[in-house]
Amino acid sequence: MTTVFEEKNISKAIMRMGLPAMLGQLTTLIYNIADTFFVSLTKEPAMIAAVTLCTPILLIIMSIASIFGMGGNSVIARLLGENKNKEVRSTLNFCLYAMAFAGMILLLAGILFMEPIANMSGADEENVVYTYDYLKYIFLGAPFIILSNGLVHLFRSLGLIKESAIGLALGNTVNIIFDFIFIVLLGWGTAGAALATSFVFFVPRFIIWFV
């Protein structure tokens, strides 16, 4: 677990940690345009607008994951350097519970206040129905989105660089596949885009990490 951090060759250690992370983020960049691309195939401007309007909401959910994921990453890495394994476990548990709690709060708040959130995002009468469809599944998947994104950072702090990169790349790749199935083949539009996003944050990454 600590071999990466004990690497005496600095450039080699940076490559071992940085390259998998870079490849994982590359798949994220591709995935970020997948929803809009597949929704655009419906040739419905209102659907495309809804996905665009909801993107900041999704990014806010992911940023909450970064609070505990990246923050916990920094704390855990320093504790490992000091050989404080008990504190590492406590920090990891705190981050996991905090992310799960934040996800549940977002789920409840999103469902209860979906209308004002949609209005704040800029939805109008032409695309508000599609905006609701997208937000509904994004908020339902909020706990999994937060846990999945946060665990990417926490795994890196533990030296599990390859595992975090594989989980990230696999999840993003499967998301694109489900986008095609839900949007193009099944014709679910923005609901399909959001459902694919929420679904793959749970299934592929949690399978590869915990099975």
Side-chain angles (χ1 to χ4, degrees), residues 62-195:
M62 291 182 176
S63 69
I64 294 175
S66 296
I67 293 174
F68 302 105
M70 297 182 70
N73 179 309
S74 176
V75 174
I76 290 172
R78 282 178 284 161
L79 291 173
L80 284 173
E82 299 173 1
N83 292 319
K84 296 181 177 179
N85 294 327
K86 183 178 179 180
E87 288 81 357
V88 168
R89 289 191 292 270
S90 297
T91 303
L92 183 59
N93 287 334
F94 169 79
C95 290
L96 289 174
Y97 286 123
M99 289 189 294
F101 179 75
M104 292 304 299
I105 292 297
L106 276 176
L107 188 159
L108 294 174
I111 297 301
L112 291 174
F113 303 104
M114 188 177 301
E115 183 176 351
I117 292 173
N119 293 333
M120 288 175 60
S121 69
D124 56 30
E125 59 182 14
E126 293 184 1
N127 55 54
V128 68
V129 173
Y130 301 124
T131 302
Y132 286 166
D133 286 342
Y134 194 94
L135 288 178
K136 177 174 64 177
Y137 290 108
I138 287 298
F139 284 124
L140 287 174
F144 306 120
I145 294 173
I146 291 177
L147 280 169
S148 184
N149 279 277
L151 283 170
V152 169
H153 301 293
L154 294 176
F155 270 47
R156 288 173 185 161
S157 70
L158 297 172
L160 302 174
I161 313 300
K162 182 176 71 174
E163 289 80 357
S164 66
I166 291 175
L168 187 64
L170 179 61
N172 292 333
T173 301
V174 175
N175 181 84
I176 295 173
I177 295 173
F178 277 116
D179 269 339
F180 175 76
I181 294 173
F182 291 161
I183 300 172
V184 178
L185 298 184
L186 300 179
W188 290 353
T190 53
L195 185 59

Side-chain angles (χ1 to χ4, degrees), residues 31-41 48 51-52 55 179 193:
Y31 139 75
N32 282 337
I33 66 173
D35 283 354
T36 303
F37 171 74
F38 285 112
V39 170
S40 70
L41 297 180
I48 301 172
V51 172
T52 303
T55 297
D179 269 339

Side-chain angles (χ1 to χ4, degrees), residues 47-60:
M47 286 190 183
I48 301 172
V51 172
T52 303
L53 292 172
C54 293
T55 297
I57 307 299
L58 178 59
L59 294 177
I60 290 173

